[in-house]
Amino acid sequence: MFQLNKKLHFTSISMIVIGLLSLVIGFMSDAHSTWTNLLFNNYFFLGISLFAVVFVAIQYVAEAGWSTVFKRVPEAMMAFLPYAGIIMLFIVIAAVMHWNHIYHWLEPGIMDPNEPNYDKIIAGKEPYLNAPFFLIRSIVYVIIWIYCARKLRQLSIKGDLEGDIGERSFFKGLRVSGWFLVFFAVTSCTAAWDWIMSIDTHWFSTLFGWYIFSEWATIGFTTILLIALFLQKTGHLPDLNDSHIHDLGKFIFAFSIVWTYMWFSQFMLIWYANIPEEVTYFMQRIEQSNYSFLFWFSMVINFVVPLIMLMSRDAKRNKTILVIVSTVILIGHWINSYLLFAPGTLFEHGHLGLIEVGVFLGFIGLFIQIVSRTLSKTSVEIKSHPYLDESKHLHT
Amino acid sequence: MHKESRIRDPLIDGNKTFHDITVEVAYPVEGKANKYWWTLFGLSVILMLWGFGCIAYTIGTGIGVWGLNKTINWAWDITNFVWWIGIGHAGTLISAVLLLFRQKWRMAINRSAEAMTIFGVIQAGLFPLIHMGRPWLAYWVFPIPNQYGSLWVNFNSPLLWDVFAISTYLTVSTVFWYIGLIPDFAMIRDRVNEKINPLKKKLYSLLSFGWSGRAKHWQRFEEVSLVLAGLATPLVFSVHSIVSMDFATSVIPGWHTTIFPPYFVLGALFSGFAMVETLLIIVRKVVNMEAYITIKHIEYMNVIILFTGSMVGIAYITELFMAWYSGVEFEQYAFLNRATGPYWWAYASMMTCNVVIPQLYWIYKIRTNIIATFVLSIFVNIGMWFERFVIIVTSLHRDFLPSSWTMFSPTFVDIGIFLGTIGFFFVLFLMYARTFPVVAQAEMKTILKSSGSEFKKIDNEQ
């Protein structure tokens, strides 16, 4: 059975304390920027835990056998989804109740022609962007995502106890995965529009949902790899071999490029056409001194670092290189996440500082706690699964 | 040691041995063509010649013989171009991306899918060429030093990026295809009797580059396949992304939208797989490849069609929603007009063929039924043609200036050239099917002992 070692347990608890302290200090000094801070950090971990569900579901529907030996890893990551979901709902409710002012379009009077702050373009979006519908959508996403995650986890545990190759639970899981992926394909886009894109209320981009998904996939794969490497090191995953690690490395490499592809497609087309309605989004990020460095920096490290460092086969089988690149990518995407939220809420006042880092640490601590607790509930090794044998003998 | 789960279906049916595979794959090359082949070939040649005639007429007279007008200055030409390029996409996905994903079922279909890719890209390439008006100056698209002073290509234009993207794509696809063919050509070479058919022996000897099947040859073969797969994978994305940028870099409502690059790539895979199915369902029957291209292969392709079709559907809905959400009057009108304007029937055909009909593949019985699959694949081919037509013509026919509003109607030349390319495509494909091994037999043999039906049965009993 997996047990978090004392040192890491203590570290993660301290991180949670730092996170809570940062939030308290943040709310006391500058509540508005702290709401943004909480939102973007939560978005980051929501993405990681939600992608874990997507990963598990894709393995089912794609009949993928290679990942079976470490499937407890994404399953444990899914356990964070309820926490991230609840914090997200808390932020949404707070926004609807006007406790925070993240979503500009929720301001009273903005859709009323008789009010001084009336905005015609925002008023035109009222059928979609209105408080009740926004709230309902958010609740539906979170509940159904969590439900599917739980179902998949239960079936996975059941399959393990089923004996033989766990066929019955496997085919049930296949069905749940199919439905989940359909639901996710739609709601990952709408959630990205609702929670992120609507912050820059005037702005719109059809690619936005897929762009966000590519980021979730990159950080999701990175986290799966880091946890798998940790479990291998502590001896809980004896069947995990270099080929599995190599494959995860390939996915990190590939999705870093997919992310860049999405980033570039969105940026280049808007930059090239130079239509005022659209280009303001990037103007703000490029021309404001507090964002411009982060904007280019995150783009470069999220693309160039994995491209160069993970290109070769040897690098994808070298654990030191993998850990370094993964850490860099996670930080790079964390910065990029900040840029999704801050420019639209904090404008020229946004600064990525110690309070943000503190909250990030808090989330990492909580994530480690939840994931390790879930890992310790069942055996990390899989006993019966239709593809277990294939996965154990993976050799590329 | 390689293991394969017993819940996986066999990929080679009918208790084949290594020798069976050789004989059956070589059969269409060694035997004589039947009357179905000749009929189909004859029809295709007639269509092709008709198309060539229309092309000659276009070049001799000018682009004015097409149905284009001042408002709709791009129509069937680029619709057909994008359609053919899209069809070409599945080949590279199957050979490159599925290789990287270690999908063994690709081995039965990659050869024909890649042939289709190359033949499709050839058809696509015709359209920009003849649209130039003076195709003998076609080499001007390349940035070559010249004595005309500052006459230079426009590097800012996505049309130029297309030139680079498509020529790279065609080159890499052809090389990739050819590398895979070497051991198979060698197989045919070794079976030809030199005394009876010395020319054939000579030809296949040349084509197979002295392949001897040594371990070193195999090792290099696998290595180069992997390298080419790595190179070809970005190409799967880049080609259709750049094709989409022909439209998306503009400021025309309906063309300028950021989702275009990935959405075009998915749409291309969607139409490419549909065309692979249309061709292979015929091929497997005509040249008896049912044991190699099984129902399971067809099901896998149908699942990909269902996935890509649904993603394309999400893209349609996203575009529609964003047009409304943007609050931009022109965007809103462009999409309202698309769905309810004079070209509503094109939009409706597109939606029905591409989004609604593929949803039938959720039903197991339909996605494992050959006739249903064939019919559905035709629907997808038609739907994807309409998609390009909708994007191109309906976005143009309502100009910013209402006095320029107009409609497009194709002339007999437009139709003739399009039908001609279909004829040309089938001429090439039919000739291929008689002279090339249509299934990558050397690769198939590597999975016989793990995925062949007989061997799986023995494995499962143990």
PDB file of all heavy atoms in Angstrom, chain A residues 63 125 164 197 205-207 247 261 269 272-273 278 386 390 396, chain B residues 3 5-6 8 102 156 241 256-259 261 300 322 325:
ATOM      1  N   GLU A  63      -9.030   1.704 -27.138  1.00  0.00           N
ATOM      2  CA  GLU A  63      -8.517   0.346 -26.907  1.00  0.00           C
ATOM      3  C   GLU A  63      -7.017   0.393 -26.645  1.00  0.00           C
ATOM      4  O   GLU A  63      -6.255  -0.420 -27.164  1.00  0.00           O
ATOM      5  CB  GLU A  63      -8.800  -0.557 -28.112  1.00  0.00           C
ATOM      6  CG  GLU A  63     -10.278  -0.682 -28.436  1.00  0.00           C
ATOM      7  CD  GLU A  63     -10.539  -1.601 -29.634  1.00  0.00           C
ATOM      8  OE1 GLU A  63      -9.584  -2.174 -30.168  1.00  0.00           O
ATOM      9  OE2 GLU A  63     -11.715  -1.732 -30.008  1.00  0.00           O
ATOM     10  N   LYS A 125     -25.218  39.958 -25.832  1.00  0.00           N
ATOM     11  CA  LYS A 125     -24.861  38.591 -25.460  1.00  0.00           C
ATOM     12  C   LYS A 125     -25.726  38.054 -24.329  1.00  0.00           C
ATOM     13  O   LYS A 125     -25.479  36.954 -23.830  1.00  0.00           O
ATOM     14  CB  LYS A 125     -23.371  38.537 -25.045  1.00  0.00           C
ATOM     15  CG  LYS A 125     -22.464  39.096 -26.118  1.00  0.00           C
ATOM     16  CD  LYS A 125     -20.993  38.991 -25.770  1.00  0.00           C
ATOM     17  CE  LYS A 125     -20.200  39.766 -26.809  1.00  0.00           C
ATOM     18  NZ  LYS A 125     -18.897  39.228 -27.114  1.00  0.00           N
ATOM     19  N   ASP A 164      -9.743 -12.855 -13.150  1.00  0.00           N
ATOM     20  CA  ASP A 164      -9.496 -13.143 -14.563  1.00  0.00           C
ATOM     21  C   ASP A 164      -8.945 -11.873 -15.228  1.00  0.00           C
ATOM     22  O   ASP A 164      -7.943 -11.334 -14.764  1.00  0.00           O
ATOM     23  CB  ASP A 164     -10.767 -13.653 -15.240  1.00  0.00           C
ATOM     24  CG  ASP A 164     -10.462 -14.183 -16.634  1.00  0.00           C
ATOM     25  OD1 ASP A 164      -9.293 -14.541 -16.885  1.00  0.00           O
ATOM     26  OD2 ASP A 164     -11.380 -14.231 -17.470  1.00  0.00           O
ATOM     27  N   MET A 197     -13.113  32.984 -21.412  1.00  0.00           N
ATOM     28  CA  MET A 197     -13.229  33.937 -22.511  1.00  0.00           C
ATOM     29  C   MET A 197     -14.169  35.091 -22.180  1.00  0.00           C
ATOM     30  O   MET A 197     -13.955  36.216 -22.636  1.00  0.00           O
ATOM     31  CB  MET A 197     -13.708  33.228 -23.779  1.00  0.00           C
ATOM     32  CG  MET A 197     -13.387  33.988 -25.044  1.00  0.00           C
ATOM     33  SD  MET A 197     -13.753  33.013 -26.508  1.00  0.00           S
ATOM     34  CE  MET A 197     -15.508  33.263 -26.620  1.00  0.00           C
ATOM     35  N   SER A 205     -13.179  34.217 -29.881  1.00  0.00           N
ATOM     36  CA  SER A 205     -12.312  33.439 -30.759  1.00  0.00           C
ATOM     37  C   SER A 205     -12.873  32.028 -30.816  1.00  0.00           C
ATOM     38  O   SER A 205     -13.066  31.383 -29.787  1.00  0.00           O
ATOM     39  CB  SER A 205     -10.891  33.421 -30.211  1.00  0.00           C
ATOM     40  OG  SER A 205     -10.129  32.446 -30.882  1.00  0.00           O
ATOM     41  N   THR A 206     -13.153  31.566 -32.029  1.00  0.00           N
ATOM     42  CA  THR A 206     -13.771  30.238 -32.155  1.00  0.00           C
ATOM     43  C   THR A 206     -12.833  29.130 -31.682  1.00  0.00           C
ATOM     44  O   THR A 206     -13.272  28.068 -31.279  1.00  0.00           O
ATOM     45  CB  THR A 206     -14.164  29.963 -33.619  1.00  0.00           C
ATOM     46  OG1 THR A 206     -13.139  30.449 -34.478  1.00  0.00           O
ATOM     47  CG2 THR A 206     -15.472  30.627 -33.957  1.00  0.00           C
ATOM     48  N   LEU A 207     -11.534  29.381 -31.768  1.00  0.00           N
ATOM     49  CA  LEU A 207     -10.581  28.326 -31.406  1.00  0.00           C
ATOM     50  C   LEU A 207     -10.414  28.174 -29.900  1.00  0.00           C
ATOM     51  O   LEU A 207      -9.832  27.204 -29.433  1.00  0.00           O
ATOM     52  CB  LEU A 207      -9.223  28.635 -32.061  1.00  0.00           C
ATOM     53  CG  LEU A 207      -8.115  27.601 -31.936  1.00  0.00           C
ATOM     54  CD1 LEU A 207      -8.586  26.249 -32.450  1.00  0.00           C
ATOM     55  CD2 LEU A 207      -6.890  28.027 -32.691  1.00  0.00           C
ATOM     56  N   ASP A 247       6.839   6.676 -23.724  1.00  0.00           N
ATOM     57  CA  ASP A 247       5.564   7.030 -24.352  1.00  0.00           C
ATOM     58  C   ASP A 247       4.962   8.293 -23.733  1.00  0.00           C
ATOM     59  O   ASP A 247       4.446   9.156 -24.449  1.00  0.00           O
ATOM     60  CB  ASP A 247       4.575   5.867 -24.227  1.00  0.00           C
ATOM     61  CG  ASP A 247       4.823   4.807 -25.297  1.00  0.00           C
ATOM     62  OD1 ASP A 247       5.683   5.045 -26.164  1.00  0.00           O
ATOM     63  OD2 ASP A 247       4.165   3.757 -25.265  1.00  0.00           O
ATOM     64  N   TYR A 261       0.736  24.960 -31.656  1.00  0.00           N
ATOM     65  CA  TYR A 261      -0.038  25.037 -32.899  1.00  0.00           C
ATOM     66  C   TYR A 261      -1.336  25.820 -32.680  1.00  0.00           C
ATOM     67  O   TYR A 261      -1.699  26.704 -33.448  1.00  0.00           O
ATOM     68  CB  TYR A 261      -0.317  23.614 -33.364  1.00  0.00           C
ATOM     69  CG  TYR A 261      -1.335  23.443 -34.456  1.00  0.00           C
ATOM     70  CD1 TYR A 261      -1.094  23.915 -35.740  1.00  0.00           C
ATOM     71  CD2 TYR A 261      -2.531  22.778 -34.204  1.00  0.00           C
ATOM     72  CE1 TYR A 261      -2.027  23.731 -36.735  1.00  0.00           C
ATOM     73  CE2 TYR A 261      -3.462  22.590 -35.197  1.00  0.00           C
ATOM     74  CZ  TYR A 261      -3.210  23.073 -36.464  1.00  0.00           C
ATOM     75  OH  TYR A 261      -4.150  22.893 -37.438  1.00  0.00           O
ATOM     76  N   LEU A 269      -3.721  34.317 -36.887  1.00  0.00           N
ATOM     77  CA  LEU A 269      -4.877  34.739 -37.693  1.00  0.00           C
ATOM     78  C   LEU A 269      -5.414  36.079 -37.227  1.00  0.00           C
ATOM     79  O   LEU A 269      -5.840  36.902 -38.036  1.00  0.00           O
ATOM     80  CB  LEU A 269      -5.959  33.667 -37.658  1.00  0.00           C
ATOM     81  CG  LEU A 269      -5.586  32.389 -38.406  1.00  0.00           C
ATOM     82  CD1 LEU A 269      -6.649  31.330 -38.240  1.00  0.00           C
ATOM     83  CD2 LEU A 269      -5.379  32.681 -39.885  1.00  0.00           C
ATOM     84  N   TYR A 272      -2.764  38.745 -38.204  1.00  0.00           N
ATOM     85  CA  TYR A 272      -2.702  38.954 -39.654  1.00  0.00           C
ATOM     86  C   TYR A 272      -3.905  39.770 -40.138  1.00  0.00           C
ATOM     87  O   TYR A 272      -3.746  40.709 -40.914  1.00  0.00           O
ATOM     88  CB  TYR A 272      -2.676  37.589 -40.338  1.00  0.00           C
ATOM     89  CG  TYR A 272      -2.282  37.585 -41.801  1.00  0.00           C
ATOM     90  CD1 TYR A 272      -1.077  37.021 -42.200  1.00  0.00           C
ATOM     91  CD2 TYR A 272      -3.112  38.096 -42.782  1.00  0.00           C
ATOM     92  CE1 TYR A 272      -0.705  36.989 -43.531  1.00  0.00           C
ATOM     93  CE2 TYR A 272      -2.746  38.075 -44.111  1.00  0.00           C
ATOM     94  CZ  TYR A 272      -1.540  37.517 -44.485  1.00  0.00           C
ATOM     95  OH  TYR A 272      -1.178  37.479 -45.799  1.00  0.00           O
ATOM     96  N   ALA A 273      -5.102  39.396 -39.663  1.00  0.00           N
ATOM     97  CA  ALA A 273      -6.297  40.107 -40.141  1.00  0.00           C
ATOM     98  C   ALA A 273      -6.395  41.490 -39.516  1.00  0.00           C
ATOM     99  O   ALA A 273      -6.937  42.411 -40.120  1.00  0.00           O
ATOM    100  CB  ALA A 273      -7.539  39.294 -39.834  1.00  0.00           C
ATOM    101  N   GLU A 278     -10.935  42.113 -32.528  1.00  0.00           N
ATOM    102  CA  GLU A 278     -10.242  40.914 -32.068  1.00  0.00           C
ATOM    103  C   GLU A 278      -8.843  41.213 -31.558  1.00  0.00           C
ATOM    104  O   GLU A 278      -8.367  40.582 -30.623  1.00  0.00           O
ATOM    105  CB  GLU A 278     -10.118  39.921 -33.229  1.00  0.00           C
ATOM    106  CG  GLU A 278     -11.439  39.384 -33.695  1.00  0.00           C
ATOM    107  CD  GLU A 278     -11.282  38.460 -34.891  1.00  0.00           C
ATOM    108  OE1 GLU A 278     -10.142  38.278 -35.366  1.00  0.00           O
ATOM    109  OE2 GLU A 278     -12.288  37.930 -35.350  1.00  0.00           O
ATOM    110  N   PRO A 386      -8.097  -6.330 -18.952  1.00  0.00           N
ATOM    111  CA  PRO A 386      -7.899  -7.017 -20.234  1.00  0.00           C
ATOM    112  C   PRO A 386      -6.550  -6.725 -20.877  1.00  0.00           C
ATOM    113  O   PRO A 386      -5.990  -7.564 -21.568  1.00  0.00           O
ATOM    114  CB  PRO A 386      -9.030  -6.485 -21.102  1.00  0.00           C
ATOM    115  CG  PRO A 386     -10.061  -6.009 -20.166  1.00  0.00           C
ATOM    116  CD  PRO A 386      -9.359  -5.575 -18.935  1.00  0.00           C
ATOM    117  N   GLU A 390      -0.509  -6.909 -21.880  1.00  0.00           N
ATOM    118  CA  GLU A 390       0.100  -6.104 -22.947  1.00  0.00           C
ATOM    119  C   GLU A 390       0.945  -4.992 -22.356  1.00  0.00           C
ATOM    120  O   GLU A 390       2.053  -4.724 -22.798  1.00  0.00           O
ATOM    121  CB  GLU A 390      -0.996  -5.449 -23.804  1.00  0.00           C
ATOM    122  CG  GLU A 390      -1.705  -6.400 -24.724  1.00  0.00           C
ATOM    123  CD  GLU A 390      -2.698  -5.680 -25.615  1.00  0.00           C
ATOM    124  OE1 GLU A 390      -2.723  -4.433 -25.621  1.00  0.00           O
ATOM    125  OE2 GLU A 390      -3.471  -6.374 -26.299  1.00  0.00           O
ATOM    126  N   THR A 396       9.249  -0.903 -26.616  1.00  0.00           N
ATOM    127  CA  THR A 396       9.295  -0.205 -27.903  1.00  0.00           C
ATOM    128  C   THR A 396      10.736   0.074 -28.305  1.00  0.00           C
ATOM    129  O   THR A 396      11.587   0.190 -27.463  1.00  0.00           O
ATOM    130  CB  THR A 396       8.552   1.135 -27.850  1.00  0.00           C
ATOM    131  OG1 THR A 396       9.062   1.899 -26.776  1.00  0.00           O
ATOM    132  CG2 THR A 396       7.073   0.909 -27.671  1.00  0.00           C
TER     133      THR A 396
ATOM    134  N   LYS B   3       2.765  -9.418 -26.269  1.00  0.00           N
ATOM    135  CA  LYS B   3       1.512 -10.020 -25.798  1.00  0.00           C
ATOM    136  C   LYS B   3       0.357  -9.308 -26.470  1.00  0.00           C
ATOM    137  O   LYS B   3       0.428  -8.110 -26.720  1.00  0.00           O
ATOM    138  CB  LYS B   3       1.383  -9.828 -24.284  1.00  0.00           C
ATOM    139  CG  LYS B   3       2.340 -10.678 -23.493  1.00  0.00           C
ATOM    140  CD  LYS B   3       1.686 -11.997 -23.149  1.00  0.00           C
ATOM    141  CE  LYS B   3       2.685 -12.856 -22.385  1.00  0.00           C
ATOM    142  NZ  LYS B   3       2.197 -14.197 -22.175  1.00  0.00           N
ATOM    143  N   SER B   5      -3.891  -8.914 -25.995  1.00  0.00           N
ATOM    144  CA  SER B   5      -5.053  -9.269 -25.200  1.00  0.00           C
ATOM    145  C   SER B   5      -6.040 -10.097 -26.005  1.00  0.00           C
ATOM    146  O   SER B   5      -6.200  -9.912 -27.204  1.00  0.00           O
ATOM    147  CB  SER B   5      -5.738  -8.004 -24.712  1.00  0.00           C
ATOM    148  OG  SER B   5      -6.980  -8.332 -24.136  1.00  0.00           O
ATOM    149  N   ARG B   6      -6.716 -11.002 -25.332  1.00  0.00           N
ATOM    150  CA  ARG B   6      -7.654 -11.846 -26.069  1.00  0.00           C
ATOM    151  C   ARG B   6      -8.930 -11.118 -26.440  1.00  0.00           C
ATOM    152  O   ARG B   6      -9.709 -11.603 -27.245  1.00  0.00           O
ATOM    153  CB  ARG B   6      -7.955 -13.109 -25.266  1.00  0.00           C
ATOM    154  CG  ARG B   6      -8.719 -12.910 -24.001  1.00  0.00           C
ATOM    155  CD  ARG B   6      -9.194 -14.283 -23.493  1.00  0.00           C
ATOM    156  NE  ARG B   6     -10.146 -14.116 -22.413  1.00  0.00           N
ATOM    157  CZ  ARG B   6      -9.901 -14.494 -21.174  1.00  0.00           C
ATOM    158  NH1 ARG B   6      -8.761 -15.044 -20.845  1.00  0.00           N
ATOM    159  NH2 ARG B   6     -10.826 -14.307 -20.251  1.00  0.00           N
ATOM    160  N   ARG B   8      -8.984  -8.458 -28.059  1.00  0.00           N
ATOM    161  CA  ARG B   8      -8.776  -7.811 -29.366  1.00  0.00           C
ATOM    162  C   ARG B   8      -9.173  -8.765 -30.483  1.00  0.00           C
ATOM    163  O   ARG B   8      -8.800  -9.932 -30.463  1.00  0.00           O
ATOM    164  CB  ARG B   8      -7.305  -7.428 -29.533  1.00  0.00           C
ATOM    165  CG  ARG B   8      -6.877  -6.318 -28.602  1.00  0.00           C
ATOM    166  CD  ARG B   8      -5.561  -5.724 -29.044  1.00  0.00           C
ATOM    167  NE  ARG B   8      -4.963  -4.924 -27.995  1.00  0.00           N
ATOM    168  CZ  ARG B   8      -5.264  -3.640 -27.768  1.00  0.00           C
ATOM    169  NH1 ARG B   8      -6.136  -3.028 -28.532  1.00  0.00           N
ATOM    170  NH2 ARG B   8      -4.689  -2.980 -26.782  1.00  0.00           N
ATOM    171  N   ARG B 102       1.375   2.994 -33.004  1.00  0.00           N
ATOM    172  CA  ARG B 102       1.484   1.531 -33.042  1.00  0.00           C
ATOM    173  C   ARG B 102       0.149   0.848 -33.314  1.00  0.00           C
ATOM    174  O   ARG B 102      -0.194  -0.161 -32.689  1.00  0.00           O
ATOM    175  CB  ARG B 102       2.056   1.006 -31.715  1.00  0.00           C
ATOM    176  CG  ARG B 102       3.444   1.513 -31.398  1.00  0.00           C
ATOM    177  CD  ARG B 102       4.061   0.774 -30.248  1.00  0.00           C
ATOM    178  NE  ARG B 102       3.427   1.046 -28.986  1.00  0.00           N
ATOM    179  CZ  ARG B 102       3.840   1.983 -28.133  1.00  0.00           C
ATOM    180  NH1 ARG B 102       4.894   2.718 -28.417  1.00  0.00           N
ATOM    181  NH2 ARG B 102       3.210   2.183 -27.003  1.00  0.00           N
ATOM    182  N   ASN B 156       4.170  37.053 -47.881  1.00  0.00           N
ATOM    183  CA  ASN B 156       3.090  37.267 -46.918  1.00  0.00           C
ATOM    184  C   ASN B 156       1.819  36.525 -47.283  1.00  0.00           C
ATOM    185  O   ASN B 156       0.857  36.548 -46.533  1.00  0.00           O
ATOM    186  CB  ASN B 156       2.751  38.754 -46.841  1.00  0.00           C
ATOM    187  CG  ASN B 156       3.853  39.539 -46.209  1.00  0.00           C
ATOM    188  OD1 ASN B 156       4.680  38.978 -45.498  1.00  0.00           O
ATOM    189  ND2 ASN B 156       3.883  40.833 -46.457  1.00  0.00           N
ATOM    190  N   SER B 241      -3.826  23.142 -42.454  1.00  0.00           N
ATOM    191  CA  SER B 241      -3.843  24.402 -41.704  1.00  0.00           C
ATOM    192  C   SER B 241      -3.559  25.548 -42.645  1.00  0.00           C
ATOM    193  O   SER B 241      -4.209  26.593 -42.605  1.00  0.00           O
ATOM    194  CB  SER B 241      -2.792  24.384 -40.610  1.00  0.00           C
ATOM    195  OG  SER B 241      -3.069  23.367 -39.694  1.00  0.00           O
ATOM    196  N   HIS B 256     -12.866  34.489 -41.987  1.00  0.00           N
ATOM    197  CA  HIS B 256     -11.924  34.817 -40.930  1.00  0.00           C
ATOM    198  C   HIS B 256     -12.406  34.278 -39.593  1.00  0.00           C
ATOM    199  O   HIS B 256     -13.248  34.872 -38.933  1.00  0.00           O
ATOM    200  CB  HIS B 256     -11.734  36.330 -40.824  1.00  0.00           C
ATOM    201  CG  HIS B 256     -10.864  36.701 -39.674  1.00  0.00           C
ATOM    202  ND1 HIS B 256      -9.508  36.487 -39.699  1.00  0.00           N
ATOM    203  CD2 HIS B 256     -11.147  37.190 -38.462  1.00  0.00           C
ATOM    204  CE1 HIS B 256      -9.013  36.848 -38.545  1.00  0.00           C
ATOM    205  NE2 HIS B 256      -9.976  37.274 -37.773  1.00  0.00           N
ATOM    206  N   THR B 257     -11.893  33.138 -39.187  1.00  0.00           N
ATOM    207  CA  THR B 257     -12.253  32.604 -37.879  1.00  0.00           C
ATOM    208  C   THR B 257     -11.109  31.723 -37.412  1.00  0.00           C
ATOM    209  O   THR B 257     -10.508  31.000 -38.208  1.00  0.00           O
ATOM    210  CB  THR B 257     -13.622  31.882 -37.932  1.00  0.00           C
ATOM    211  OG1 THR B 257     -13.864  31.277 -36.689  1.00  0.00           O
ATOM    212  CG2 THR B 257     -13.685  30.841 -39.021  1.00  0.00           C
ATOM    213  N   THR B 258     -10.782  31.841 -36.118  1.00  0.00           N
ATOM    214  CA  THR B 258      -9.534  31.226 -35.649  1.00  0.00           C
ATOM    215  C   THR B 258      -9.582  29.703 -35.586  1.00  0.00           C
ATOM    216  O   THR B 258      -8.545  29.058 -35.545  1.00  0.00           O
ATOM    217  CB  THR B 258      -9.172  31.750 -34.244  1.00  0.00           C
ATOM    218  OG1 THR B 258     -10.315  31.612 -33.407  1.00  0.00           O
ATOM    219  CG2 THR B 258      -8.738  33.194 -34.308  1.00  0.00           C
ATOM    220  N   ILE B 259     -10.779  29.126 -35.574  1.00  0.00           N
ATOM    221  CA  ILE B 259     -10.852  27.672 -35.446  1.00  0.00           C
ATOM    222  C   ILE B 259     -10.461  26.970 -36.743  1.00  0.00           C
ATOM    223  O   ILE B 259     -10.238  25.764 -36.764  1.00  0.00           O
ATOM    224  CB  ILE B 259     -12.273  27.237 -34.998  1.00  0.00           C
ATOM    225  CG1 ILE B 259     -12.217  25.903 -34.254  1.00  0.00           C
ATOM    226  CG2 ILE B 259     -13.229  27.163 -36.172  1.00  0.00           C
ATOM    227  CD1 ILE B 259     -13.498  25.517 -33.564  1.00  0.00           C
ATOM    228  N   PRO B 261      -7.778  26.418 -38.750  1.00  0.00           N
ATOM    229  CA  PRO B 261      -6.708  25.431 -38.970  1.00  0.00           C
ATOM    230  C   PRO B 261      -7.009  24.031 -38.409  1.00  0.00           C
ATOM    231  O   PRO B 261      -7.043  23.076 -39.199  1.00  0.00           O
ATOM    232  CB  PRO B 261      -5.490  26.094 -38.332  1.00  0.00           C
ATOM    233  CG  PRO B 261      -5.775  27.547 -38.408  1.00  0.00           C
ATOM    234  CD  PRO B 261      -7.245  27.683 -38.225  1.00  0.00           C
ATOM    235  N   TYR B 300     -13.015   0.288 -37.354  1.00  0.00           N
ATOM    236  CA  TYR B 300     -12.070   1.289 -36.842  1.00  0.00           C
ATOM    237  C   TYR B 300     -12.156   2.576 -37.650  1.00  0.00           C
ATOM    238  O   TYR B 300     -12.174   3.679 -37.103  1.00  0.00           O
ATOM    239  CB  TYR B 300     -10.639   0.752 -36.909  1.00  0.00           C
ATOM    240  CG  TYR B 300     -10.253  -0.182 -35.782  1.00  0.00           C
ATOM    241  CD1 TYR B 300      -9.489  -1.310 -36.016  1.00  0.00           C
ATOM    242  CD2 TYR B 300     -10.637   0.097 -34.477  1.00  0.00           C
ATOM    243  CE1 TYR B 300      -9.123  -2.161 -34.986  1.00  0.00           C
ATOM    244  CE2 TYR B 300     -10.271  -0.747 -33.446  1.00  0.00           C
ATOM    245  CZ  TYR B 300      -9.517  -1.880 -33.705  1.00  0.00           C
ATOM    246  OH  TYR B 300      -9.155  -2.707 -32.683  1.00  0.00           O
ATOM    247  N   MET B 322     -20.411  31.574 -32.237  1.00  0.00           N
ATOM    248  CA  MET B 322     -19.513  32.718 -32.089  1.00  0.00           C
ATOM    249  C   MET B 322     -19.936  33.877 -32.989  1.00  0.00           C
ATOM    250  O   MET B 322     -19.726  35.037 -32.639  1.00  0.00           O
ATOM    251  CB  MET B 322     -18.078  32.322 -32.436  1.00  0.00           C
ATOM    252  CG  MET B 322     -17.330  31.667 -31.322  1.00  0.00           C
ATOM    253  SD  MET B 322     -17.223  32.669 -29.851  1.00  0.00           S
ATOM    254  CE  MET B 322     -16.893  31.386 -28.671  1.00  0.00           C
ATOM    255  N   TYR B 325     -22.479  35.419 -30.968  1.00  0.00           N
ATOM    256  CA  TYR B 325     -21.922  35.915 -29.718  1.00  0.00           C
ATOM    257  C   TYR B 325     -21.034  37.139 -29.948  1.00  0.00           C
ATOM    258  O   TYR B 325     -20.965  38.030 -29.115  1.00  0.00           O
ATOM    259  CB  TYR B 325     -21.119  34.777 -29.076  1.00  0.00           C
ATOM    260  CG  TYR B 325     -20.365  35.113 -27.815  1.00  0.00           C
ATOM    261  CD1 TYR B 325     -20.972  34.975 -26.566  1.00  0.00           C
ATOM    262  CD2 TYR B 325     -19.037  35.523 -27.854  1.00  0.00           C
ATOM    263  CE1 TYR B 325     -20.267  35.258 -25.406  1.00  0.00           C
ATOM    264  CE2 TYR B 325     -18.338  35.811 -26.698  1.00  0.00           C
ATOM    265  CZ  TYR B 325     -18.959  35.675 -25.473  1.00  0.00           C
ATOM    266  OH  TYR B 325     -18.263  35.948 -24.332  1.00  0.00           O
TER     267      TYR B 325
END
